[in-house]
Amino acid sequence: MSLPREERLKVLGLWPGWRPRSTRSLARGVEPEPREAETIIGCAEGATPAGDIANLDWPALEQAIRACTRCELHRGRTQGVVGVGDIHADWLIIGEAPGADEDRMGEPFVGQAGKLLDAMLAAIGLKRGENVYIANVLKSRPPRNRDPKPEEVAACLPYLERQIDLIRPRLIVAMGRFAAQSLLLTDTAIGRLRGQVHEYRGVPLLITYHPAYLLRNPADKAKAWEDLLLARATMGRLQSAAPAAP
Ligand code: URA
């Protein structure tokens, strides 16, 4: 079970202004004042606050992501990359962050890793754009494809959370260590996270290897295939438990 967002950010030490209630404030009966999320490092003045993101409709959310200035990554990217596909999809695929190709094209997974992702989807009868939505944890490209920083994840997660709340997918598949660990707030190795059904924002969540990792480590494709079979079986169960309205 994943923790609520506020709790996860507190664990990460990123909930703005949060600290354990001190004995002094307890004695005065005063709660520490939560500061606004805009205190995140690199957040530009006027950036959309997390509380506002949680209320955006889809067109406004897309616009906010494209123009986002909530962390320092906005300075080096070409555009915020929203995601691609069916916004009423049963399947939500979540990757790490846009790379150079995605930054240029404005669409997730369009490079070599994207080709492999499309092949993985095809292997279980899925096609980009048809009952599948593809998004990333980070909407802006980290420079030189470096690992995302915790404050960048904290700044960006409200967008993904809103996407999930609006799409209401039946199943989420997180691709790779970074997406899995960011959603589950854990440093457990991906090898131990895959093979079981987790949950994120009330939606069943499965973990598999990132296509870019599989391109470098083709021997693990067999394990990714097992994960895809588990995903297909899990979706079958979810669909039979609650068939779509006619
Ligand atoms: N890797 C990702 O995780 N996401 C992309 O969009 C592209 C490559």
Side-chain angles (χ1 to χ4, degrees), residues 12 29 43 54 119 197 210 232 237:
L12 278 171
C43 184
V197 184
H210 193 286
R232 191 170 62 180
R237 276 197 296 278

Coordinates of all heavy atoms in Angstrom, one line a residue, residues 12 29 43 54 119 197 210 232 237:
L12 N 10.0 11.8 2.6 CA 11.2 12.3 1.7 C 11.8 13.6 2.3 O 12.8 14.0 1.8 CB 10.6 12.6 0.3 CG 10.5 11.4 -0.7 CD1 9.8 11.9 -1.9 CD2 11.8 10.9 -1.1
G29 N 0.4 24.9 21.9 CA -0.8 24.5 21.2 C -0.8 25.0 19.7 O -1.9 25.1 19.1
C43 N 11.5 26.5 -8.3 CA 10.1 26.8 -8.6 C 10.0 28.3 -8.9 O 10.4 29.1 -8.1 CB 9.2 26.4 -7.5 SG 7.5 26.6 -7.8
A54 N -4.6 19.9 -8.5 CA -5.6 18.8 -8.1 C -7.0 19.1 -8.6 O -7.8 18.2 -8.5 CB -5.5 18.6 -6.6
A119 N 6.5 -2.7 -28.8 CA 6.5 -4.1 -29.1 C 6.0 -4.9 -27.8 O 5.3 -5.9 -28.0 CB 7.9 -4.6 -29.4
V197 N 1.1 -7.5 -7.0 CA 0.2 -6.4 -7.3 C 0.3 -5.4 -6.2 O -0.1 -5.7 -5.0 CB -1.2 -6.9 -7.6 CG1 -2.1 -5.7 -8.0 CG2 -1.3 -8.0 -8.6
H210 N 12.3 -1.3 -17.3 CA 12.2 -0.2 -18.2 C 12.7 -0.7 -19.6 O 13.7 -1.4 -19.6 CB 13.1 0.9 -17.7 CG 12.8 2.2 -18.5 ND1 13.2 2.4 -19.8 CD2 12.1 3.3 -18.1 CE1 12.8 3.6 -20.1 NE2 12.1 4.2 -19.2
R232 N -1.5 -8.8 -18.0 CA -2.7 -9.2 -18.8 C -3.7 -10.0 -18.0 O -4.9 -9.8 -18.0 CB -2.2 -10.0 -20.0 CG -3.3 -10.2 -21.0 CD -2.8 -10.8 -22.3 NE -2.3 -12.1 -22.1 CZ -1.7 -12.8 -23.1 NH1 -1.7 -12.4 -24.4 NH2 -1.2 -14.0 -22.9
R237 N -8.8 -10.2 -14.8 CA -9.6 -10.3 -13.5 C -10.3 -9.0 -13.2 O -11.5 -9.1 -12.8 CB -8.6 -10.7 -12.4 CG -8.3 -12.2 -12.3 CD -7.7 -12.5 -10.9 NE -6.4 -11.9 -10.7 CZ -5.3 -12.3 -11.2 NH1 -5.2 -13.4 -11.9 NH2 -4.2 -11.7 -10.9

